[in-house]
Amino acid sequence: MTTVTSTSAVRPEPRPKKKIAHSGVIGMLVFVLTEIMFFAGLISAVTITRSTALMNIWPPPGQPRLPVEETLINTAALLLSGVLLGVAHFRFKKSPELVKAPLIAAMLLGAAFVGLQGAEWVALLAQGLTPQSSAHGAFFYLIVGIHGLHALAAIGGLAYVLRRAQQGRLIASELHTAEIFWYFVVLLWPVIYGRLYF
Amino acid sequence: MRWTWVITVSLFFAPALALGCAVCGTGPERSRAAYISMTALLSLLPLTMLGALVWLFVRRLRRLEPKEGPPPREVVSEPSGP
């Protein structure tokens, strides 16, 4: 006669999949990291070029000085827009409906920044600072221009978020993705301002 | 351990002694400092950012871990031979 006994085999239960962050947020973080390195390369090039300037004179002789005081207003507008987006972030936790007002204000301030930068470009071109006039002009238009393009793209992102909020379909990950890009644009500007204008 | 220190110190001072960097032999002190500081920035910035990203993900993952201990185990009875 054969006896059948039973023994216990322990099999672990499959762990539930955990999502540490939305894929859009991770994608935007990785994109911003690459953009930071891109701007770090440009800023590094400016720093080295300035360090080799003849007699330590910068801007080079005959080139106009960049408008430090006027640009301070643009800088303040951009920083304020970042604060307003932070307000939108906290208001979203209460209700997605509450993000509209700070979002619109942030977008308007961002658009004002880009508009004022455009006006500054027109004035500097009239004063003789062109991309071909010197390394100073080339770096200025290249770096400020690329930053301006990023600001326009970020405003586009905020406009998309606003449209979703107006439709009542805004989700947290969409807001956070647009926020990361806008904070990148906002926090990068003081670095560019400090490096190029002074 | 002693060799680690020797190698580390050499890495800092040997390039200048061996004229092994782009501005070691020529140029003013200002441009030398600019080259060295920008090399340090471009070398350390990506490592710092990737480290911060990994740290952020690990922290979020730890927060998602259940606090009551290991996951429940399923006990399966299996027939065994004679």
Side-chain angles (χ1 to χ4, degrees):
Chain A
M1 190 177 147
T2 322
T3 53
V4 177
T5 57
S6 86
T7 56
S8 294
V10 178
R11 192 166 63 194
E13 204 175 62
R15 282 169 176 262
K17 281 185 180 174
K18 292 169 192 148
K19 205 169 185 178
I20 53 170
H22 191 268
S23 52
V25 171
I26 296 172
M28 182 55 78
L29 278 172
V30 172
F31 175 67
V32 163
L33 294 195
T34 61
E35 291 293 276
I36 289 171
M37 285 315 297
F38 172 65
F39 278 98
L42 290 174
I43 287 165
S44 160
V46 176
T47 306
I48 288 169
T49 306
R50 281 180 72 151
S51 74
T52 55
L54 202 63
M55 307 284 284
N56 196 16
I57 298 168
W58 194 268
Q63 291 292 289
R65 190 177 150 272
L66 296 177
V68 176
E69 297 81 14
E70 290 88 334
T71 311
L72 199 60
I73 299 166
N74 302 5
T75 307
L78 197 63
L79 291 175
L80 185 61
S81 76
V83 173
L84 284 168
L85 201 60
V87 171
H89 178 94
F90 287 107
R91 290 180 86 172
F92 181 80
K93 287 178 181 174
K94 290 179 186 168
S95 166
E97 285 291 310
L98 296 173
V99 300
K100 288 178 201 166
L103 208 56
I104 291 169
M107 279 172 63
L108 288 176
L109 283 168
F113 170 81
V114 175
L116 289 168
Q117 286 297 109
E120 187 181 295
W121 275 34
V122 172
L124 285 168
L125 283 167
Q127 289 174 33
L129 185 74
T130 66
Q132 292 86 22
S133 63
S134 65
H136 174 53
F139 277 127
F140 172 76
Y141 289 111
L142 178 68
I143 297 176
V144 175
I146 291 172
H147 180 266
L149 286 176
H150 280 76
L152 283 174
I155 291 169
L158 293 181
Y160 172 77
V161 167
L162 180 65
R163 193 164 147 258
R164 296 280 291 175
Q166 283 169 340
Q167 291 169 344
R169 293 162 63 191
L170 180 65
I171 55 172
S173 63
E174 289 172 339
L175 178 65
H176 296 163
T177 306
E179 265 183 84
I180 291 166
F181 195 43
W182 188 250
Y183 290 141
F184 159 68
V185 168
V186 168
L187 295 174
L188 178 68
W189 177 252
V191 179
I192 293 173
Y193 180 58
R195 192 65 271 185
L196 282 181
Y197 284 74
F198 292 93
Chain B
M1 190 65 188
R2 195 181 301 163
W3 279 108
T4 312
W5 277 106
V6 170
I7 290 166
T8 309
V9 171
S10 302
L11 282 173
F12 272 101
F13 293 105
L17 291 172
L19 304 179
C21 65
V23 286
C24 282
T26 58
E29 183 57 36
R30 194 161 38 85
S31 54
R32 202 175 305 177
Y35 268 95
I36 291 168
S37 59
M38 288 303 113
T39 304
L41 174 81
L42 292 177
S43 306
L44 297 177
L45 190 61
L47 297 173
T48 309
M49 290 192 303
L50 286 174
L53 202 63
V54 168
W55 174 78
L56 190 76
F57 287 165
V58 168
R59 200 184 67 160
R60 283 187 74 100
L61 202 62
R62 280 187 184 153
R63 277 187 186 170
L64 291 170
E65 289 283 334
K67 286 178 183 171
E68 61 269 11
R73 285 163 178 246
E74 189 187 0
V75 178
V76 181
S77 293
E78 285 178 359
S80 66

